[in-house]
Amino acid sequence: MPLRSVAPPSFADDSSAPDGSASTLYRQIAGLYEQAIVSGSLAPGMRLPSVRELCQRHGVSLTTALQVWRHLEERGYAEARERVGYFVRRPAQAALLPAVREPELHEPLQPDPRLFAGINERISVFLEKARRAGPGVLDLGSAMPAPSLFDAAALNRLAIGLLREQPDVLVYGPSAPTTHVEFQQAMARHALGFGLSLAPDHIGATHGNSEAVNLALDAVAEPGDVIAVESPTFFGILQAIEVRGLRALEIPCSPRTGISLEALELAARNEPRLKAVVVVPHLQMPLGSVMPDSHKERLVALCTEHGLALIEDDIYREFVESPQPLRPAKAWDRPGTEGQVIYCASLSKSFAPGLRQGWMSAGRWHARVQMLKFARTRNMQSWSQLLAARSVGSPAYERHLRRMRVQLREQREAAARAIARYFPPGTRLSLPPGGISLWMELPPGLSSTRLYDQALARGIRVAPGPMFSNTGRYERFLRMSCGMPFTEQVETGYRTLGELLSQQLTPASGRPSAGKRA
Amino acid sequence: MPLRSVAPPSFADDSSAPDGSASTLYRQIAGLYEQAIVSGSLAPGMRLPSVRELCQRHGVSLTTALQVWRHLEERGYAEARERVGYFVRRPAQAALLPAVREPELHEPLQPDPRLFAGINERISVFLEKARRAGPGVLDLGSAMPAPSLFDAAALNRLAIGLLREQPDVLVYGPSAPTTHVEFQQAMARHALGFGLSLAPDHIGATHGNSEAVNLALDAVAEPGDVIAVESPTFFGILQAIEVRGLRALEIPCSPRTGISLEALELAARNEPRLKAVVVVPHLQMPLGSVMPDSHKERLVALCTEHGLALIEDDIYREFVESPQPLRPAKAWDRPGTEGQVIYCASLSKSFAPGLRQGWMSAGRWHARVQMLKFARTRNMQSWSQLLAARSVGSPAYERHLRRMRVQLREQREAAARAIARYFPPGTRLSLPPGGISLWMELPPGLSSTRLYDQALARGIRVAPGPMFSNTGRYERFLRMSCGMPFTEQVETGYRTLGELLSQQLTPASGRPSAGKRA
């Protein structure tokens, strides 16, 4: 959609000019408001500026300002209400409301090279299609727990308490260092609870886990360098690698024990530009594997030996169903060194998605990460850091997590049952020991890319296998989200997906056959 | 400071082993807690986990858990309170409290090449010294209004109202598109108020103005490309350029009319890799110049003609004292094109520093910016966007701005009087028509870099001229903040700075002479 920018109106003060010469001026100003009304930024019923305000805003005479509103009145965009002022008129037809996105949905997406250069094109196309489909879609693709799984009431009480206790919290500009000391202390205590000892002043707040991983990549590699990733892996990591001119090296990953250490060692010996490894040790995305402690130990040793940064993305740790907390690989960082592991985590998945509160501890790259962070997004909200600091690790937080794990298990199991019921025979799936998604393999002949398009046209979003790799290896794979309660609507969604897949197996038919419906 | 990481404790379940074999295990676990106590993440008086919790956390037997606390007790780090549990003991001496930063202050800062590679080293050293000095310093350097200049009470009322109206606002994970529609509409209306017509769906929320400018650079240039900047310019822009392997080309800038269009045109003709120009049209940082409309028009035409992106950083617009709102250069974006100007703004300076709410409208680079944003920091808080959307442009917001402009003017004038009174004769300064800082030229023989170090040692932070350029041209220049009320402490700060500068003029003396004191 092209930018609807307009001709620059020359708002020179016309007060000294004869009013006749201002005839194009009032049209120009009226044009601005007309456009705002058509685009929806001024909604029907909204009050327009007074004539006096209009004079001030645009430096025009009273006469010109009056002409602006009269012109808009004549064209049906404004109406005067006596002694009150001018208002945006309700349009005669709904066509004037903000653009409806549906018609774009079926248009072929022509990737603009300017748009995607240096960004992973395949992933971008999937994301762009989803964006165009708009927010009305049933999202069975995103790995995010539904709002109902969080304890919003407790968080809001805490938030209101904080606003009363620290009335300046929203207007206080946090000065250097960029991270709030209370947040650093709280995250250090939190980490201790799962066996990881961190220096508080080496903990940095970030915009979600995503900024943390991006900063880690910025700190350890430069364009042309190689980054080892798990295969399949979270598409965000592939994007982040490609955006900065790095190359991703996909290392096979086991659904039970995570990244293949043998393959990684081979890569470390043979790829001189290999600079770092990115792993999700707990509930690897999308496989759901949980790395055994012995693997973590070997992985850290391997990275230390070869001088590779180990970027540990630990965003799903708290979703693992385990009798005792799992220790991150960073717990094996060799003592006496400054730390080879860059630990990245976030409270977005487990505590409050709306805060976007991530954090990291970058080992020997700490000072560099801090400087890069400052150059890029500067300081962080105290607000969000304090809410996190005062919640994480509290008894209420632990209760919330226990409840959430139970609910997610039920949702995973319900989704697995629906897949067993509606998806074509031969679909393979293994239940991970926790988390918010399922990864499955479809029978031969099926395409998750095709399913993505077909499902989106029916108002359902999924995450097709090819989003999780550059190798083209996962065309028959699919990630389904189990983040939302398994409602009737979700069940209907799974049934529709099953039907679409069955149609793929009967190429002649555009609709499900009578036999399939029975 | 090296990362205080410890040996990875092997927390294998020891329940089946004879307790004697767990002797190193309890020491390892105790070591974790000891470290947390020493580093301050577990503060004196804080409750330690119960013995049962300790068993669960680390998967050890009751005996081992008890040994952990007894060991810490013996070493003086923990104390048992009968029937309540174990607590962190108050240390006998204050030396065990979190590290005091003062001793580091006078240590020479050895730039670690790993730390600064690709980041502007000179700027980084200044920032790092300030960081080491800690938060207790009188900050006369940062361009940020004091919290007391904002209407925190009104904002807090709005915030509490929003939490009650939308109880899910903090736990709702915003889905694509990354920007809230209400925020887009509100910023489009806001822009209309200063003569700029923007399509709401081309408005993107960012983490402050800083992320907006960074995304703009990502979108339009690649490593090796050249970016034209004003000279002197805000150091954040120089950092952002250097971080991504771009080269800054400094274009002379007038304290009255802004960037020299003649010099820029020359550069556009002669520098084939020139891709973009970054300007601050209103209250240029640090000069305070306000670009006349005729210059804006020519600048946009020049960029359009030469295919350069015009990155417009409009963060100080609302601080200009002007009878009518100033239009950004983007208002002259040529109609019919997709837009050559990337408009960047923020509410951090004018409305609520603690929200870090920026925004942008990227013209023909809109889709690319959106994708880069998603790859890097993903979605934004709805919370902060909604608070901004509901405030900006309201009568209360406009009243706040009027009050703030008056207060800032008083503060600028008080600072100018103090400079006239305390600084060496020959100091030159022109008062800008608004804003939160003053830029001045010191008499020959003086160095603002030396002043920076001397002032920091006396607990005062300033912003020396060399931070604002790579050319070394501004050694005798200084930016002073006028963001905070001109208290007695601030006045004393200015007097101290004046004394330090006078000492620079009398090289033999390390102290102010008796004559100078009189």
Side-chain angles (χ1 to χ4, degrees):
Chain A
M1 199 182 301
L3 178 66
R4 282 165 291 186
S5 195
V6 288
S10 53
F11 293 154
D13 192 325
D14 64 339
S15 54
S16 63
D19 261 27
S21 78
S23 67
T24 53
L25 180 58
Y26 82 81
R27 278 174 203 270
Q28 281 170 348
I29 299 174
L32 287 181
Y33 287 89
E34 186 172 324
Q35 236 179 353
I37 293 164
V38 171
S39 74
S41 50
L42 292 173
M46 208 172 249
R47 201 181 181 289
L48 289 163
S50 71
V51 171
R52 204 175 136 244
E53 282 167 333
L54 205 66
C55 294
Q56 269 209 323
R57 268 193 188 184
H58 302 294
V60 296
S61 71
L62 205 68
T63 320
T64 305
L66 271 168
Q67 277 177 311
V68 170
W69 291 152
R70 279 194 204 125
H71 183 72
L72 281 175
E73 243 186 325
E74 280 163 24
R75 290 178 52 81
Y77 289 106
E79 59 190 358
R81 296 190 198 155
E82 218 171 324
R83 292 191 201 179
V84 187
Y86 285 86
F87 290 80
V88 179
R89 203 178 151 193
R90 253 161 243 291
Q93 47 177 357
L96 281 178
L97 289 173
V100 178
R101 294 181 192 272
E102 286 79 354
E104 294 179 63
L105 189 60
H106 304 287
E107 286 170 19
L109 187 71
Q110 296 291 349
D112 175 349
R114 221 176 38 192
L115 173 59
F116 296 129
I119 317 175
N120 195 299
E121 185 178 315
R122 193 184 42 267
I123 296 167
S124 296
V125 170
F126 285 121
L127 293 173
E128 181 65 10
K129 283 178 180 173
R131 192 190 66 78
R132 290 194 185 185
V137 160
L138 174 66
D139 189 356
L140 299 178
S142 304
M144 183 57 79
S148 63
L149 269 66
F150 297 93
D151 192 352
L155 183 56
N156 285 7
R157 276 194 302 276
L158 190 72
I160 291 172
L162 180 61
L163 288 167
R164 293 201 168 122
E165 178 204 315
Q166 299 194 17
D168 274 359
V169 70
L170 299 177
V171 300
Y172 205 91
S175 56
T178 63
T179 303
H180 200 290
V181 173
E182 196 172 326
F183 181 76
Q184 292 178 316
Q185 303 277 11
M187 291 307 113
R189 274 197 305 278
H190 177 50
L192 198 61
F194 47 86
L196 177 61
S197 172
L198 298 172
D201 62 354
H202 276 228
I203 287 174
T206 58
H207 295 294
N209 184 67
S210 177
E211 189 184 33
V213 172
N214 272 275
L215 285 169
L217 290 171
D218 279 337
V220 304
E222 47 194 50
D225 282 344
V226 176
I227 309 295
V229 299
E230 300 156 317
S231 182
T233 191
F234 170 52
F235 55 82
I237 293 170
L238 296 175
Q239 281 185 309
I241 288 173
E242 204 151 322
V243 158
R244 40 183 62 65
L246 304 169
R247 287 176 295 141
L249 179 65
E250 299 191 25
I251 307 285
C253 190
S254 143
R256 274 199 318 282
T257 58
I259 197 163
S260 160
L261 297 175
E262 294 68 28
L264 180 62
E265 180 142 30
L266 196 70
R269 287 190 201 288
N270 293 302
E271 178 47 81
R273 295 209 64 176
L274 184 64
K275 291 294 167 63
V277 192
V278 187
V279 297
V280 179
H282 305 127
L283 299 173
Q284 195 271 352
M285 181 56 70
L287 290 176
S289 44
V290 173
M291 197 183 283
D293 281 0
S294 59
H295 281 230
K296 292 173 193 161
E297 186 168 8
R298 280 174 59 203
L299 176 61
V300 176
L302 195 158
C303 289
T304 307
E305 185 193 338
H306 291 277
L308 306 178
L310 177 55
I311 301 173
E312 180 173 30
D313 173 352
D314 201 19
I315 192 167
Y316 301 111
R317 205 189 53 78
E318 303 194 284
F319 291 154
V320 183
E321 299 195 348
S322 155
Q324 62 195 65
L326 297 173
R327 264 172 308 152
K330 184 153 182 72
W332 281 269
D333 233 348
R334 197 174 286 181
T337 71
E338 288 178 88
Q340 200 69 21
V341 184
I342 303 182
Y343 183 73
C344 305
S346 173
L347 307 168
S348 288
K349 303 279 185 184
S350 58
F351 169 61
L355 292 181
R356 303 282 310 127
Q357 187 62 62
W359 61 284
M360 69 193 299
S361 183
R364 51 188 282 214
W365 293 276
H366 164 70
R368 181 161 171 78
V369 159
Q370 193 174 37
M371 201 55 81
L372 289 164
K373 166 83 175 85
F374 187 73
R376 180 114 204 159
T377 52
R378 300 208 130 53
N379 301 307
M380 302 290 292
Q381 286 185 359
S382 293
W383 160 255
S384 168
Q385 291 180 69
L386 287 173
L387 286 180
R390 289 166 185 207
S391 305
V392 169
S394 70
Y397 177 78
E398 297 297 339
R399 270 197 307 278
H400 149 67
L401 277 185
R402 279 195 295 274
R403 264 199 313 269
M404 194 179 215
R405 279 192 290 262
V406 170
Q407 203 160 345
L408 285 175
R409 190 202 308 143
E410 287 167 7
Q411 292 170 195
R412 285 193 309 275
E413 290 172 354
R417 279 195 298 274
I419 290 163
R421 180 164 177 200
Y422 299 117
F423 279 36
T427 300
R428 295 167 60 147
L429 169 79
S430 56
L431 273 176
I436 41 182
S437 57
L438 294 177
W439 178 249
M440 76 197 71
E441 187 178 355
L442 301 171
L446 291 177
S447 153
S448 61
T449 303
R450 276 183 65 201
L451 178 67
Y452 179 85
D453 287 329
Q454 294 169 329
L456 211 52
R458 299 279 290 267
I460 303 167
R461 183 177 171 188
V462 297
M467 289 186 84
F468 300 88
S469 166
N470 288 332
T471 63
R473 219 179 270 153
Y474 303 102
E475 186 53 50
R476 276 205 289 124
F477 290 78
L478 190 65
R479 184 188 78 179
M480 296 297 294
S481 164
C482 309
M484 67 173 77
F486 200 82
T487 58
E488 211 167 303
Q489 195 202 6
V490 173
E491 170 124 30
T492 307
Y494 274 92
R495 198 174 56 218
T496 304
L497 293 175
E499 285 168 5
L500 292 170
L501 288 169
S502 301
Q503 283 169 36
Q504 282 193 19
L505 289 171
T506 51
S509 150
R511 297 169 293 245
S513 68
K516 287 238 167 50
R517 267 187 190 153
Chain B
M1 198 180 300
L3 178 65
R4 283 165 288 188
S5 195
V6 287
S10 53
F11 293 154
D13 193 326
D14 64 338
S15 54
S16 62
D19 262 28
S21 78
S23 67
T24 52
L25 181 58
Y26 82 82
R27 277 176 204 270
Q28 282 171 348
I29 298 175
L32 287 182
Y33 287 89
E34 185 172 324
Q35 237 181 352
I37 293 165
V38 172
S39 74
S41 50
L42 291 174
M46 207 172 251
R47 200 180 181 287
L48 289 164
S50 71
V51 171
R52 204 176 134 243
E53 281 167 335
L54 206 65
C55 295
Q56 269 209 325
R57 268 192 187 184
H58 302 293
V60 297
S61 71
L62 205 67
T63 320
T64 305
L66 270 167
Q67 278 177 309
V68 169
W69 291 152
R70 279 195 203 124
H71 183 71
L72 281 176
E73 246 186 325
E74 280 164 22
R75 292 179 49 80
Y77 289 105
E79 58 190 358
R81 295 192 198 153
E82 217 171 326
R83 291 191 201 179
V84 186
Y86 286 87
F87 290 80
V88 178
R89 200 178 152 194
R90 253 160 243 290
Q93 49 178 356
L96 280 179
L97 289 174
V100 177
R101 295 181 190 274
E102 285 79 354
E104 294 179 62
L105 190 60
H106 303 287
E107 287 169 18
L109 185 71
Q110 296 291 349
D112 175 348
R114 221 177 36 192
L115 173 59
F116 296 129
I119 316 177
N120 194 300
E121 184 177 315
R122 191 184 44 266
I123 296 168
S124 295
V125 170
F126 285 121
L127 293 173
E128 181 65 10
K129 283 178 179 172
R131 192 191 66 77
R132 289 195 187 185
V137 159
L138 174 66
D139 189 355
L140 299 178
S142 304
M144 183 59 78
S148 64
L149 270 66
F150 296 93
D151 191 351
L155 183 56
N156 285 8
R157 276 194 303 275
L158 190 71
I160 291 172
L162 180 61
L163 288 167
R164 293 202 167 122
E165 177 204 314
Q166 298 193 18
D168 274 358
V169 70
L170 299 177
V171 299
Y172 205 91
S175 56
T178 61
T179 303
H180 200 291
V181 173
E182 197 172 325
F183 181 76
Q184 293 178 315
Q185 304 276 12
M187 292 307 113
R189 274 197 306 278
H190 178 50
L192 199 61
F194 47 86
L196 177 60
S197 172
L198 298 171
D201 62 354
H202 276 228
I203 287 174
T206 59
H207 295 293
N209 185 66
S210 178
E211 189 185 33
V213 172
N214 272 276
L215 285 169
L217 288 171
D218 279 336
V220 304
E222 47 193 50
D225 282 344
V226 176
I227 309 294
V229 299
E230 300 155 318
S231 182
T233 191
F234 170 51
F235 56 82
I237 292 170
L238 295 175
Q239 282 184 308
I241 287 172
E242 204 151 320
V243 158
R244 39 184 63 64
L246 303 170
R247 287 176 295 141
L249 178 65
E250 299 191 24
I251 306 286
C253 190
S254 143
R256 274 200 317 282
T257 58
I259 197 165
S260 159
L261 297 176
E262 294 68 30
L264 180 63
E265 181 143 27
L266 196 69
R269 286 189 203 288
N270 293 302
E271 178 47 81
R273 294 209 65 175
L274 184 64
K275 291 294 167 64
V277 192
V278 187
V279 298
V280 180
H282 304 127
L283 299 173
Q284 196 271 351
M285 182 55 71
L287 291 176
S289 44
V290 173
M291 197 183 283
D293 281 359
S294 58
H295 282 230
K296 293 173 194 162
E297 187 168 7
R298 280 174 59 202
L299 177 61
V300 176
L302 195 157
C303 289
T304 308
E305 186 193 339
H306 291 276
L308 306 177
L310 176 56
I311 301 173
E312 180 174 30
D313 174 351
D314 201 19
I315 192 167
Y316 301 111
R317 205 189 53 78
E318 304 196 284
F319 290 154
V320 183
E321 301 195 348
S322 155
Q324 61 196 66
L326 296 173
R327 265 171 308 151
K330 185 153 182 72
W332 281 269
D333 233 347
R334 196 173 288 181
T337 70
E338 288 177 89
Q340 201 68 20
V341 185
I342 303 182
Y343 183 73
C344 305
S346 173
L347 307 168
S348 288
K349 304 278 184 184
S350 58
F351 168 62
L355 293 181
R356 305 280 311 127
Q357 187 62 61
W359 61 284
M360 71 193 298
S361 183
R364 49 188 284 213
W365 293 276
H366 164 70
R368 181 161 170 79
V369 160
Q370 192 173 38
M371 200 57 79
L372 289 163
K373 166 85 175 82
F374 187 73
R376 181 115 203 159
T377 52
R378 300 208 129 51
N379 302 308
M380 303 290 293
Q381 286 185 359
S382 292
W383 160 256
S384 167
Q385 291 180 68
L386 288 173
L387 286 181
R390 290 167 185 207
S391 304
V392 169
S394 71
Y397 177 79
E398 296 299 336
R399 270 196 308 277
H400 149 68
L401 277 185
R402 279 195 296 275
R403 264 199 312 269
M404 193 180 216
R405 279 192 291 261
V406 170
Q407 203 160 346
L408 285 174
R409 189 202 309 143
E410 287 167 6
Q411 291 169 196
R412 285 192 310 274
E413 289 172 354
R417 279 195 299 272
I419 290 162
R421 180 165 177 197
Y422 298 117
F423 279 36
T427 300
R428 294 167 60 145
L429 169 79
S430 55
L431 273 175
I436 41 183
S437 56
L438 294 177
W439 176 249
M440 77 198 68
E441 187 178 352
L442 302 170
L446 291 177
S447 154
S448 61
T449 302
R450 276 185 63 200
L451 178 67
Y452 179 86
D453 287 330
Q454 294 168 329
L456 210 52
R458 299 280 289 270
I460 304 167
R461 183 178 171 190
V462 297
M467 289 187 84
F468 300 88
S469 165
N470 288 332
T471 63
R473 219 179 269 155
Y474 303 102
E475 187 53 49
R476 276 205 289 125
F477 289 78
L478 191 64
R479 184 189 78 178
M480 296 296 293
S481 165
C482 309
M484 68 173 76
F486 199 83
T487 59
E488 212 167 303
Q489 195 201 8
V490 173
E491 171 125 28
T492 307
Y494 275 93
R495 198 174 55 218
T496 305
L497 294 175
E499 287 169 5
L500 293 170
L501 287 169
S502 300
Q503 283 169 37
Q504 282 192 19
L505 289 171
T506 51
S509 152
R511 296 171 295 245
S513 69
K516 286 237 167 52
R517 265 184 191 157

